[in-house]
Amino acid sequence: LGAAESAHRRALTLAPDLADAHNNLAIVLKDQGRLDEAREAYGRVLSLTPEDAGAHSNLLMCLCYDAGVDSVEMVSAHREWSNRHAPETPEVTFLSDPDPDKILNVGYVSPDFREHSVASFLDTVFAHHDARRVQGFYYSDAAAPDAMTEKLRTHASVWRDVASLNDARLRDLIMRDGVDILVDLAGHTANNRLPVFARRAAPVQISWLGYGATTGVPAMDYVLSDEWTDPVGESEEWFTEGIIRLPNGFMCYAPPDAPLPETNESPGHSMGPPAFGSFNNLTKVNDAVVTLWADILRASPNARLVLKARQLGDTDTVARVRARFEALGVNSSRLEF
């Protein structure tokens, strides 16, 4: 990451208006948790290329990692994306059969029908669709299909590979398929198809799973969540969508098929002082998170914290994380990377 930052800054000394270099620099800064600097760099991208929806989505992702962003700023920023890149079209008339007993055509749109964290939450959901009630239409935007793609394909009533289709053609296809409920699984993550939803491709449209914030898209009717992730009365102001809270959690992880490593220890065996762990994208470990974790470690003086993230392959980033904990009274010898 340090080398990448140097390279992009050098590029910008040679070509100060090179939008791609500003965007890549912003990504590098975000990955290091330098959110204020990343937001500034994304702002320069959008001043140079205001039509770049992908870079604008990157900025929104950056806001999601920042504990200092309130609901007003979050919703306003997401609405601005929709106003700029995906204005609503006139109301669409759908020829849907209103029979409440019919089999529903439920469509899912995602670039992540592949070896990806999102797929780990989808496999068993798709496998347990009741064919007497639901017909699944899967619109796969995966540019490089793999074994997980093929596994998900086995659950499909109808499978569509749509990576080669532009937004207009994808919307037409979904409407021809007669989808009753269309589910977006990407939000503002990479390679999303939110413009399809903004122009309404189905009578009911839902955001689920792949993105933790509002889409800001007026034509997105609902978001699936639960009472823990989005408590009643506290979360509505953060969304332009209506919140549907599932009763037992809004997602359920299925482990990979590979066997677990063997161990000689019994399940109840104590290995000594506890080890807390987080195997997350390090950008999520913002100052509020570090402060909370430091409180826990000070209250558990024999415990250690194990962190795993791709960013920790960068020595400057490791040093920065150590310094953040040291400043809060936690000896960095208690941290494992």
Side-chain angles (χ1 to χ4, degrees):
L1 294 175
E5 179 184 353
S6 297
H8 293 308
R9 291 196 185 280
R10 173 62 177 153
L12 290 169
T13 64
L14 300 172
D17 292 338
L18 188 60
D20 283 347
H22 283 293
N23 187 58
N24 289 347
L25 175 61
I27 293 170
V28 170
L29 294 169
K30 176 203 42 121
D31 281 355
Q32 295 178 76
R34 297 158 63 184
L35 299 179
D36 289 344
E37 295 174 83
R39 289 174 62 177
E40 184 180 345
Y42 282 130
R44 287 196 289 272
V45 178
L46 295 177
S47 68
L48 292 167
T49 55
E51 74 286 353
D52 189 336
H56 202 164
S57 285
N58 287 348
L59 171 61
L60 299 181
M61 279 290 295
C62 192
L63 297 182
C64 292
Y65 297 124
D66 190 341
V69 174
D70 62 19
S71 61
V72 174
E73 182 180 4
M74 184 70 79
V75 169
S76 176
H78 282 73
R79 281 182 170 149
E80 171 60 24
W81 183 97
S82 186
N83 292 339
R84 183 180 299 190
H85 307 292
E88 285 188 276
T89 54
E91 187 170 336
V92 183
T93 300
F94 293 93
L95 303 177
S96 298
D97 179 1
D99 179 4
D101 297 319
K102 74 167 188 172
I103 296 176
L104 283 173
N105 292 339
V106 180
Y108 297 88
V109 181
S110 178
D112 301 322
F113 290 154
R114 55 188 175 86
E115 290 294 345
H116 186 279
S117 55
V118 165
S120 300
F121 296 89
L122 293 175
D123 183 30
T124 50
V125 173
F126 291 170
H128 287 86
H129 272 331
D130 184 346
R132 297 167 299 179
R133 301 180 65 188
V134 171
Q135 183 171 226
F137 288 73
Y138 303 134
Y139 300 93
S140 175
D141 218 355
D146 54 27
M148 176 59 81
T149 309
E150 294 309 310
K151 187 177 183 183
L152 294 175
R153 189 194 294 267
T154 64
H155 305 313
S157 302
V158 177
W159 180 276
R160 310 286 197 197
D161 289 306
V162 300
S164 64
L165 301 183
N166 63 24
D167 291 335
R169 291 177 62 196
L170 175 55
R171 177 175 178 266
D172 290 345
L173 175 61
I174 293 169
M175 294 181 72
R176 286 200 305 272
D177 283 339
V179 169
D180 299 298
I181 301 172
L182 188 64
V183 184
D184 170 54
L185 298 168
H188 284 280
T189 61
N191 303 313
N192 70 74
R193 289 302 193 107
L194 285 177
V196 172
F197 288 80
R199 293 169 175 81
R200 190 169 287 281
V204 177
Q205 300 191 142
I206 298 176
S207 173
W208 177 50
L209 190 60
Y211 190 64
T214 183
T215 64
V217 173
M220 194 71 76
D221 302 299
Y222 302 103
V223 58
L224 293 185
S225 188
D226 57 46
E227 62 180 303
W228 300 280
T229 306
D230 291 299
V232 176
E234 299 178 28
S235 306
E236 286 75 9
E237 65 188 27
W238 289 84
F239 290 92
T240 61
E241 302 87 353
I243 303 174
I244 297 176
R245 294 176 175 88
L246 301 184
N248 299 305
F250 79 101
M251 58 181 177
C252 188
Y253 169 75
D257 293 331
L260 294 172
E262 293 186 11
T263 176
N264 294 323
E265 304 295 345
S266 62
H269 179 79
S270 174
M271 301 289 286
F276 300 107
S278 176
F279 296 177
N280 270 285
N281 179 350
L282 199 68
T283 314
K284 299 177 183 179
V285 185
N286 57 38
D287 289 342
V289 174
V290 172
T291 299
L292 177 61
W293 287 355
D295 288 345
I296 294 170
L297 289 169
R298 287 196 306 271
S300 309
N302 294 321
R304 68 189 196 280
L305 175 63
V306 182
L307 298 177
K308 174 181 176 290
R310 62 180 175 81
Q311 294 101 316
L312 295 174
D314 178 65
T315 55
D316 291 341
T317 301
V318 170
R320 191 175 297 112
V321 174
R322 289 189 186 279
R324 292 165 73 190
F325 279 93
E326 293 273 7
L328 294 168
V330 175
N331 192 302
S332 64
S333 64
R334 300 173 62 192
L335 306 177
E336 294 183 22
F337 298 103

